[in-house]
Amino acid sequence: MGKLKLGFFLLLIILLNLFLQLFPHYYAYLKTPADQVFSGQASWFDPWDINVYVAAVGFGQRGRVLLENLYTTAQQPPALIYPLYTLSGFVFRSVNSWLIFYGLTVAMSLILIVVVYLSVSVFLKDKSFSLLAAFLITVSGGFGWLVFDSGLISGDTSITGFTFHSALQRPHEALGLSLYLVALVSFYLLTKATGKLKLKIIVSLSLWFLMFFYPYYLLSFIAITAIYLLAIKSTQQSWLDLLGLLILPVVSTIFYYLHLKNTDFLSVTTQNLNNVGLLSSLLGYGLLLPIFFYTAIKYRQNEVVRFISVWFLVSLVLSQLPLGFARFYLRALFLPLMVQFFFFLSQLRGAQKYLVNLFLINFLVLLPLSSGFIFMRRL
Protein backbone atom coordinates (compact mmCIF):
# COMPACT_ATOMS: atom_id res chain seq x y z
CA MET A 1 0.00 0.00 0.00
CA GLY A 2 1.44 3.36 -1.08
CA LYS A 3 1.91 6.23 1.38
CA LEU A 4 -0.72 8.34 -0.39
CA LYS A 5 -3.35 5.61 -0.23
CA LEU A 6 -2.41 4.85 3.38
CA GLY A 7 -2.80 8.52 4.35
CA PHE A 8 -6.14 8.73 2.53
CA PHE A 9 -7.65 5.78 4.40
CA LEU A 10 -6.28 6.99 7.72
CA LEU A 11 -7.85 10.39 7.04
CA LEU A 12 -11.18 8.67 6.35
CA ILE A 13 -10.99 6.92 9.73
CA ILE A 14 -10.27 10.24 11.44
CA LEU A 15 -13.12 12.05 9.64
CA LEU A 16 -15.60 9.26 10.41
CA ASN A 17 -14.76 9.37 14.11
CA LEU A 18 -15.01 13.15 14.19
CA PHE A 19 -18.39 12.99 12.48
CA LEU A 20 -19.70 10.40 14.96
CA GLN A 21 -18.49 12.57 17.85
CA LEU A 22 -19.30 16.11 16.71
CA PHE A 23 -22.36 15.94 14.47
CA PRO A 24 -24.84 15.23 17.32
CA HIS A 25 -23.67 18.44 19.03
CA TYR A 26 -24.22 20.43 15.84
CA TYR A 27 -27.57 18.71 15.23
CA ALA A 28 -28.71 19.62 18.76
CA TYR A 29 -27.64 23.21 18.13
CA LEU A 30 -29.69 23.34 14.90
CA LYS A 31 -32.75 21.80 16.56
CA THR A 32 -32.77 24.02 19.65
CA PRO A 33 -36.18 25.76 19.82
CA ALA A 34 -36.16 29.53 19.44
CA ASP A 35 -37.32 30.09 23.03
CA GLN A 36 -34.59 27.87 24.53
CA VAL A 37 -30.81 28.01 24.86
CA PHE A 38 -28.45 25.36 23.49
CA SER A 39 -26.44 23.90 26.38
CA GLY A 40 -23.33 23.51 24.24
CA GLN A 41 -23.33 19.73 24.00
CA ALA A 42 -25.23 16.51 23.36
CA SER A 43 -22.75 14.17 25.03
CA TRP A 44 -23.38 10.52 25.85
CA PHE A 45 -21.00 9.96 28.79
CA ASP A 46 -20.92 12.34 31.78
CA PRO A 47 -22.07 15.68 30.33
CA TRP A 48 -21.54 17.24 33.77
CA ASP A 49 -17.81 16.52 33.44
CA ILE A 50 -17.74 18.26 30.05
CA ASN A 51 -19.14 21.35 31.76
CA VAL A 52 -16.22 21.27 34.21
CA TYR A 53 -13.66 21.11 31.39
CA VAL A 54 -15.26 24.01 29.52
CA ALA A 55 -15.36 25.98 32.79
CA ALA A 56 -11.59 25.34 33.14
CA VAL A 57 -11.13 26.80 29.65
CA GLY A 58 -13.09 29.86 30.76
CA PHE A 59 -10.96 30.17 33.89
CA GLY A 60 -7.81 30.21 31.75
CA GLN A 61 -9.36 32.97 29.62
CA ARG A 62 -9.42 35.14 32.74
CA GLY A 63 -5.63 35.02 32.77
CA ARG A 64 -4.90 32.20 35.21
CA VAL A 65 -3.34 28.82 34.38
CA LEU A 66 -3.49 27.40 37.90
CA LEU A 67 -7.08 26.45 38.68
CA GLU A 68 -8.87 27.78 41.77
CA ASN A 69 -11.98 26.53 43.50
CA LEU A 70 -14.28 29.55 43.33
CA TYR A 71 -17.01 27.81 45.36
CA THR A 72 -15.40 28.02 48.78
CA THR A 73 -14.43 30.75 51.23
CA ALA A 74 -11.33 28.77 52.31
CA GLN A 75 -8.08 30.29 51.09
CA GLN A 76 -6.49 27.26 49.44
CA PRO A 77 -3.66 27.57 46.90
CA PRO A 78 -4.57 27.12 43.20
CA ALA A 79 -3.77 23.76 41.55
CA LEU A 80 -2.02 22.68 38.37
CA ILE A 81 -4.94 20.61 37.17
CA TYR A 82 -6.67 20.37 33.78
CA PRO A 83 -3.70 22.28 32.31
CA LEU A 84 -4.72 21.42 28.74
CA TYR A 85 -7.91 23.44 29.22
CA THR A 86 -6.60 26.33 31.31
CA LEU A 87 -3.61 26.82 28.98
CA SER A 88 -5.86 26.77 25.90
CA GLY A 89 -8.10 29.39 27.46
CA PHE A 90 -5.07 31.46 28.47
CA VAL A 91 -3.78 31.49 24.87
CA PHE A 92 -7.15 32.01 23.12
CA ARG A 93 -8.84 34.49 25.43
CA SER A 94 -11.30 36.01 22.98
CA VAL A 95 -12.61 32.72 21.49
CA ASN A 96 -15.81 31.10 22.73
CA SER A 97 -14.84 28.50 25.36
CA TRP A 98 -17.03 25.82 23.77
CA LEU A 99 -15.34 26.36 20.40
CA ILE A 100 -11.95 25.97 22.10
CA PHE A 101 -13.11 22.73 23.69
CA TYR A 102 -14.33 21.31 20.37
CA GLY A 103 -11.19 22.53 18.63
CA LEU A 104 -9.19 20.58 21.21
CA THR A 105 -11.45 17.58 20.60
CA VAL A 106 -10.57 17.61 16.90
CA ALA A 107 -6.83 18.07 17.49
CA MET A 108 -6.49 15.48 20.27
CA SER A 109 -8.69 12.94 18.45
CA LEU A 110 -6.44 13.25 15.41
CA ILE A 111 -3.37 12.63 17.59
CA LEU A 112 -4.99 9.64 19.33
CA ILE A 113 -6.09 7.93 16.10
CA VAL A 114 -2.64 8.37 14.54
CA VAL A 115 -1.02 6.99 17.72
CA VAL A 116 -3.44 4.04 17.65
CA TYR A 117 -2.52 3.29 14.04
CA LEU A 118 1.23 3.58 14.69
CA SER A 119 0.93 1.43 17.83
CA VAL A 120 -0.94 -1.29 15.97
CA SER A 121 1.60 -1.14 13.14
CA VAL A 122 4.34 -2.15 15.61
CA PHE A 123 2.55 -5.45 16.26
CA LEU A 124 0.91 -6.05 12.87
CA LYS A 125 3.23 -5.82 9.89
CA ASP A 126 0.37 -5.81 7.35
CA LYS A 127 -0.67 -2.19 6.62
CA SER A 128 -4.19 -3.18 5.54
CA PHE A 129 -4.73 -5.05 8.80
CA SER A 130 -3.29 -2.10 10.73
CA LEU A 131 -5.76 0.31 9.11
CA LEU A 132 -8.70 -2.01 9.72
CA ALA A 133 -7.57 -2.47 13.31
CA ALA A 134 -7.31 1.31 13.84
CA PHE A 135 -10.83 1.72 12.48
CA LEU A 136 -12.31 -1.04 14.63
CA ILE A 137 -10.42 -0.02 17.78
CA THR A 138 -11.89 3.47 17.68
CA VAL A 139 -15.49 2.46 16.89
CA SER A 140 -15.82 -1.01 18.41
CA GLY A 141 -18.01 -2.20 21.22
CA GLY A 142 -19.65 -5.38 22.41
CA PHE A 143 -23.28 -6.27 22.96
CA GLY A 144 -24.40 -3.05 24.64
CA TRP A 145 -26.63 -2.13 21.71
CA LEU A 146 -28.42 -5.45 22.13
CA VAL A 147 -29.08 -5.38 25.88
CA PHE A 148 -29.37 -1.64 26.58
CA ASP A 149 -33.12 -1.67 27.31
CA SER A 150 -33.04 -5.03 29.09
CA GLY A 151 -31.77 -3.70 32.42
CA LEU A 152 -28.31 -5.26 31.93
CA ILE A 153 -25.31 -2.95 32.13
CA SER A 154 -22.86 -3.46 29.30
CA GLY A 155 -19.51 -1.72 29.54
CA ASP A 156 -19.42 -0.46 25.97
CA THR A 157 -22.60 1.63 26.14
CA SER A 158 -22.90 2.34 29.87
CA ILE A 159 -19.44 2.84 31.40
CA THR A 160 -17.21 5.84 30.71
CA GLY A 161 -13.79 4.93 29.33
CA PHE A 162 -14.63 1.31 28.58
CA THR A 163 -14.34 1.88 24.82
CA PHE A 164 -12.56 4.66 22.94
CA HIS A 165 -15.78 6.70 22.70
CA SER A 166 -15.14 8.91 25.73
CA ALA A 167 -11.47 9.38 24.73
CA LEU A 168 -12.65 10.83 21.43
CA GLN A 169 -15.17 12.93 23.37
CA ARG A 170 -12.73 14.44 25.89
CA PRO A 171 -9.49 16.06 24.68
CA HIS A 172 -7.48 15.40 27.85
CA GLU A 173 -8.44 11.73 27.81
CA ALA A 174 -7.35 11.43 24.17
CA LEU A 175 -4.00 13.04 24.96
CA GLY A 176 -3.54 11.00 28.15
CA LEU A 177 -4.27 7.73 26.33
CA SER A 178 -1.89 8.73 23.53
CA LEU A 179 0.91 9.22 26.05
CA TYR A 180 0.10 5.90 27.74
CA LEU A 181 0.12 4.01 24.43
CA VAL A 182 3.37 5.67 23.33
CA ALA A 183 5.03 4.71 26.63
CA LEU A 184 3.90 1.07 26.52
CA VAL A 185 4.63 0.43 22.85
CA SER A 186 7.99 2.21 23.04
CA PHE A 187 8.94 0.01 25.99
CA TYR A 188 8.03 -3.08 23.97
CA LEU A 189 10.31 -1.87 21.17
CA LEU A 190 13.01 -1.21 23.74
CA THR A 191 12.96 -4.85 24.87
CA LYS A 192 13.64 -5.84 21.28
CA ALA A 193 16.43 -3.30 20.73
CA THR A 194 18.09 -2.55 24.07
CA GLY A 195 20.35 0.46 24.44
CA LYS A 196 18.39 2.83 22.21
CA LEU A 197 18.56 6.17 23.97
CA LYS A 198 15.77 7.70 21.85
CA LEU A 199 13.24 5.08 22.98
CA LYS A 200 14.25 5.51 26.61
CA ILE A 201 13.71 9.27 26.40
CA ILE A 202 10.30 8.76 24.73
CA VAL A 203 9.14 6.33 27.43
CA SER A 204 10.33 8.48 30.33
CA LEU A 205 8.93 11.76 28.96
CA SER A 206 5.60 10.15 28.01
CA LEU A 207 5.18 8.89 31.57
CA TRP A 208 6.19 12.28 32.95
CA PHE A 209 3.59 14.18 30.90
CA LEU A 210 1.03 11.46 31.68
CA MET A 211 1.29 12.52 35.33
CA PHE A 212 -0.85 15.61 34.59
CA PHE A 213 -3.67 13.52 33.08
CA TYR A 214 -3.70 10.03 34.64
CA PRO A 215 -0.98 9.60 37.29
CA TYR A 216 -2.45 6.24 38.36
CA TYR A 217 -1.47 4.76 34.97
CA LEU A 218 2.07 4.67 36.33
CA LEU A 219 0.99 1.62 38.40
CA SER A 220 -0.44 0.00 35.28
CA PHE A 221 2.73 0.66 33.29
CA ILE A 222 4.97 -0.75 36.04
CA ALA A 223 2.83 -3.89 36.48
CA ILE A 224 2.59 -4.64 32.73
CA THR A 225 6.27 -4.06 31.98
CA ALA A 226 7.55 -5.92 35.06
CA ILE A 227 5.37 -8.99 34.44
CA TYR A 228 6.34 -8.98 30.77
CA LEU A 229 10.04 -8.92 31.69
CA LEU A 230 9.42 -11.86 34.00
CA ALA A 231 7.54 -13.71 31.25
CA ILE A 232 10.38 -13.38 28.75
CA LYS A 233 13.04 -14.09 31.43
CA SER A 234 14.73 -10.82 30.67
CA THR A 235 18.30 -9.88 31.51
CA GLN A 236 19.44 -7.84 34.49
CA GLN A 237 20.20 -4.94 32.13
CA SER A 238 16.52 -4.78 31.06
CA TRP A 239 15.46 -4.47 34.69
CA LEU A 240 18.02 -1.72 35.25
CA ASP A 241 16.71 0.06 32.14
CA LEU A 242 13.16 -0.11 33.49
CA LEU A 243 14.28 1.25 36.84
CA GLY A 244 16.08 4.11 35.14
CA LEU A 245 13.01 4.95 33.06
CA LEU A 246 10.81 5.17 36.15
CA ILE A 247 12.93 7.41 38.40
CA LEU A 248 11.82 10.75 36.93
CA PRO A 249 8.08 9.87 36.51
CA VAL A 250 7.77 8.27 39.98
CA VAL A 251 9.50 11.09 41.85
CA SER A 252 7.58 13.74 39.88
CA THR A 253 4.24 11.98 40.49
CA ILE A 254 4.89 11.92 44.24
CA PHE A 255 5.60 15.66 44.24
CA TYR A 256 2.54 16.29 42.06
CA TYR A 257 0.36 14.38 44.55
CA LEU A 258 1.80 16.45 47.41
CA HIS A 259 0.99 19.59 45.41
CA LEU A 260 -2.64 18.53 44.91
CA LYS A 261 -2.90 17.49 48.57
CA ASN A 262 -2.53 21.14 49.60
CA THR A 263 -5.28 22.35 47.26
CA ASP A 264 -9.04 21.93 46.93
CA PHE A 265 -8.61 19.33 44.18
CA LEU A 266 -7.28 16.32 46.10
CA SER A 267 -10.68 14.65 45.59
CA VAL A 268 -9.84 14.29 41.87
CA THR A 269 -7.16 11.74 42.85
CA THR A 270 -9.36 9.94 45.37
CA GLN A 271 -12.45 9.14 43.33
CA ASN A 272 -14.62 6.29 44.59
CA LEU A 273 -16.27 4.52 41.65
CA ASN A 274 -17.66 1.02 41.65
CA ASN A 275 -15.58 -1.62 39.89
CA VAL A 276 -16.92 -2.97 36.60
CA GLY A 277 -18.59 -6.35 37.12
CA LEU A 278 -17.77 -9.53 35.24
CA LEU A 279 -21.03 -9.58 33.26
CA SER A 280 -20.62 -5.94 32.19
CA SER A 281 -17.10 -6.72 30.97
CA LEU A 282 -18.19 -9.86 29.10
CA LEU A 283 -21.01 -7.99 27.38
CA GLY A 284 -18.78 -4.98 26.71
CA TYR A 285 -15.99 -6.92 24.99
CA GLY A 286 -18.38 -9.30 23.27
CA LEU A 287 -17.04 -11.43 20.45
CA LEU A 288 -13.43 -10.36 20.90
CA LEU A 289 -12.91 -12.17 24.21
CA PRO A 290 -13.04 -15.84 23.07
CA ILE A 291 -10.67 -15.09 20.18
CA PHE A 292 -8.32 -13.29 22.56
CA PHE A 293 -8.07 -16.23 24.96
CA TYR A 294 -7.81 -18.81 22.17
CA THR A 295 -4.93 -16.88 20.59
CA ALA A 296 -3.25 -16.20 23.95
CA ILE A 297 -3.11 -19.95 24.67
CA LYS A 298 -2.36 -21.32 21.21
CA TYR A 299 0.37 -18.80 20.29
CA ARG A 300 1.68 -18.08 23.79
CA GLN A 301 5.32 -18.40 22.65
CA ASN A 302 4.94 -15.56 20.13
CA GLU A 303 6.46 -12.33 21.48
CA VAL A 304 3.62 -10.12 20.20
CA VAL A 305 0.94 -12.37 21.67
CA ARG A 306 2.84 -12.58 24.95
CA PHE A 307 3.12 -8.81 25.37
CA ILE A 308 -0.47 -8.16 24.28
CA SER A 309 -1.79 -10.89 26.59
CA VAL A 310 0.13 -9.50 29.57
CA TRP A 311 -1.13 -5.99 28.78
CA PHE A 312 -4.78 -7.04 28.66
CA LEU A 313 -4.80 -9.50 31.57
CA VAL A 314 -2.81 -7.30 33.97
CA SER A 315 -5.12 -4.35 33.21
CA LEU A 316 -8.15 -6.56 33.80
CA VAL A 317 -6.80 -7.63 37.21
CA LEU A 318 -5.95 -4.03 38.17
CA SER A 319 -9.51 -2.98 37.27
CA GLN A 320 -10.80 -5.23 40.08
CA LEU A 321 -8.57 -3.84 42.84
CA PRO A 322 -10.31 -2.11 45.79
CA LEU A 323 -9.34 1.31 44.45
CA GLY A 324 -11.85 4.04 43.69
CA PHE A 325 -10.33 4.62 40.25
CA ALA A 326 -9.65 0.95 39.39
CA ARG A 327 -12.18 0.90 36.53
CA PHE A 328 -9.99 3.38 34.64
CA TYR A 329 -7.49 0.58 33.99
CA LEU A 330 -9.97 -0.76 31.44
CA ARG A 331 -9.23 2.22 29.20
CA ALA A 332 -7.66 1.46 25.81
CA LEU A 333 -8.05 -2.32 26.15
CA PHE A 334 -9.80 -2.57 22.79
CA LEU A 335 -6.34 -2.00 21.29
CA PRO A 336 -4.71 -5.20 22.63
CA LEU A 337 -7.95 -7.09 21.97
CA MET A 338 -7.99 -5.98 18.35
CA VAL A 339 -4.29 -6.67 17.84
CA GLN A 340 -4.88 -10.20 19.10
CA PHE A 341 -7.84 -10.56 16.74
CA PHE A 342 -5.84 -9.51 13.68
CA PHE A 343 -2.89 -11.67 14.73
CA PHE A 344 -5.35 -14.57 14.83
CA LEU A 345 -6.51 -13.68 11.30
CA SER A 346 -2.93 -13.47 10.06
CA GLN A 347 -2.39 -17.07 11.17
CA LEU A 348 -5.46 -18.19 9.19
CA ARG A 349 -4.58 -16.19 6.13
CA GLY A 350 -2.30 -18.70 4.45
CA ALA A 351 -4.41 -21.86 4.53
CA GLN A 352 -7.97 -20.65 5.21
CA LYS A 353 -8.46 -17.38 3.36
CA TYR A 354 -12.24 -17.77 3.19
CA LEU A 355 -12.36 -17.90 7.01
CA VAL A 356 -10.41 -14.63 7.21
CA ASN A 357 -12.94 -12.94 4.92
CA LEU A 358 -15.84 -14.44 6.87
CA PHE A 359 -14.48 -13.17 10.20
CA LEU A 360 -13.74 -9.73 8.76
CA ILE A 361 -17.16 -9.25 7.19
CA ASN A 362 -19.00 -10.27 10.36
CA PHE A 363 -16.80 -8.25 12.73
CA LEU A 364 -16.88 -5.16 10.52
CA VAL A 365 -20.68 -5.30 10.78
CA LEU A 366 -21.12 -6.32 14.42
CA LEU A 367 -18.38 -4.47 16.33
CA PRO A 368 -19.37 -0.88 15.34
CA LEU A 369 -23.04 -1.42 16.24
CA SER A 370 -22.62 0.03 19.73
CA SER A 371 -21.09 3.21 18.28
CA GLY A 372 -24.00 3.45 15.85
CA PHE A 373 -26.44 2.88 18.70
CA ILE A 374 -24.87 5.67 20.80
CA PHE A 375 -24.85 7.99 17.77
CA MET A 376 -28.57 7.46 17.15
CA ARG A 377 -29.44 7.85 20.82
CA ARG A 378 -27.55 11.13 20.94
CA LEU A 379 -29.53 12.39 17.96
Side-chain angles (χ1 to χ4, degrees), residues 23 249 278 295 358 361 363 366-367:
F23 180 73
L278 178 61
T295 307
L358 187 63
I361 291 170
F363 277 61
L366 292 173
L367 293 182

Short mmCIF file of all heavy atoms in Angstrom, two decimals, residues 23 249 278 295 358 361 363 366-367:
data_model
loop_
_atom_site.label_atom_id
_atom_site.label_comp_id
_atom_site.label_asym_id
_atom_site.label_seq_id
_atom_site.Cartn_x
_atom_site.Cartn_y
_atom_site.Cartn_z
N PHE A 23 -21.10 15.60 15.14
CA PHE A 23 -22.36 15.94 14.47
C PHE A 23 -23.55 16.01 15.42
O PHE A 23 -24.38 16.93 15.29
CB PHE A 23 -22.66 14.95 13.34
CG PHE A 23 -23.94 15.27 12.62
CD1 PHE A 23 -24.01 16.36 11.75
CD2 PHE A 23 -25.09 14.52 12.83
CE1 PHE A 23 -25.20 16.67 11.11
CE2 PHE A 23 -26.28 14.83 12.20
CZ PHE A 23 -26.34 15.92 11.33
N PRO A 249 9.54 9.85 36.38
CA PRO A 249 8.08 9.87 36.51
C PRO A 249 7.59 9.58 37.93
O PRO A 249 6.65 10.23 38.40
CB PRO A 249 7.63 8.77 35.54
CG PRO A 249 8.74 8.63 34.56
CD PRO A 249 9.98 8.91 35.34
N LEU A 278 -18.16 -8.55 36.25
CA LEU A 278 -17.77 -9.53 35.24
C LEU A 278 -18.74 -9.55 34.06
O LEU A 278 -18.32 -9.56 32.90
CB LEU A 278 -17.69 -10.93 35.87
CG LEU A 278 -17.34 -12.08 34.92
CD1 LEU A 278 -15.98 -11.87 34.29
CD2 LEU A 278 -17.41 -13.42 35.66
N THR A 295 -6.22 -17.27 21.15
CA THR A 295 -4.93 -16.88 20.59
C THR A 295 -3.85 -16.81 21.66
O THR A 295 -2.70 -17.21 21.44
CB THR A 295 -5.06 -15.51 19.89
OG1 THR A 295 -6.14 -15.56 18.96
CG2 THR A 295 -3.79 -15.15 19.15
N LEU A 358 -14.60 -14.24 6.11
CA LEU A 358 -15.84 -14.44 6.87
C LEU A 358 -15.78 -13.71 8.21
O LEU A 358 -16.73 -13.01 8.60
CB LEU A 358 -16.07 -15.94 7.09
CG LEU A 358 -17.40 -16.33 7.72
CD1 LEU A 358 -18.57 -15.94 6.82
CD2 LEU A 358 -17.43 -17.84 7.99
N ILE A 361 -15.84 -9.77 7.57
CA ILE A 361 -17.16 -9.25 7.19
C ILE A 361 -18.08 -9.17 8.41
O ILE A 361 -18.74 -8.15 8.65
CB ILE A 361 -17.79 -10.13 6.09
CG1 ILE A 361 -17.03 -9.96 4.77
CG2 ILE A 361 -19.26 -9.77 5.88
CD1 ILE A 361 -17.41 -10.95 3.69
N PHE A 363 -17.27 -9.16 11.69
CA PHE A 363 -16.80 -8.25 12.73
C PHE A 363 -16.92 -6.80 12.30
O PHE A 363 -17.17 -5.92 13.13
CB PHE A 363 -15.37 -8.60 13.13
CG PHE A 363 -15.30 -9.72 14.14
CD1 PHE A 363 -15.78 -10.99 13.84
CD2 PHE A 363 -14.76 -9.51 15.40
CE1 PHE A 363 -15.73 -12.01 14.76
CE2 PHE A 363 -14.69 -10.52 16.33
CZ PHE A 363 -15.18 -11.79 16.02
N LEU A 366 -20.63 -6.19 13.05
CA LEU A 366 -21.12 -6.32 14.42
C LEU A 366 -20.42 -5.39 15.42
O LEU A 366 -21.08 -4.83 16.30
CB LEU A 366 -20.97 -7.77 14.89
CG LEU A 366 -21.88 -8.79 14.18
CD1 LEU A 366 -21.52 -10.21 14.60
CD2 LEU A 366 -23.35 -8.50 14.50
N LEU A 367 -19.11 -5.23 15.31
CA LEU A 367 -18.38 -4.47 16.33
C LEU A 367 -18.75 -2.99 16.38
O LEU A 367 -18.82 -2.42 17.47
CB LEU A 367 -16.87 -4.63 16.13
CG LEU A 367 -16.32 -6.05 16.38
CD1 LEU A 367 -14.81 -6.07 16.19
CD2 LEU A 367 -16.67 -6.54 17.78
#
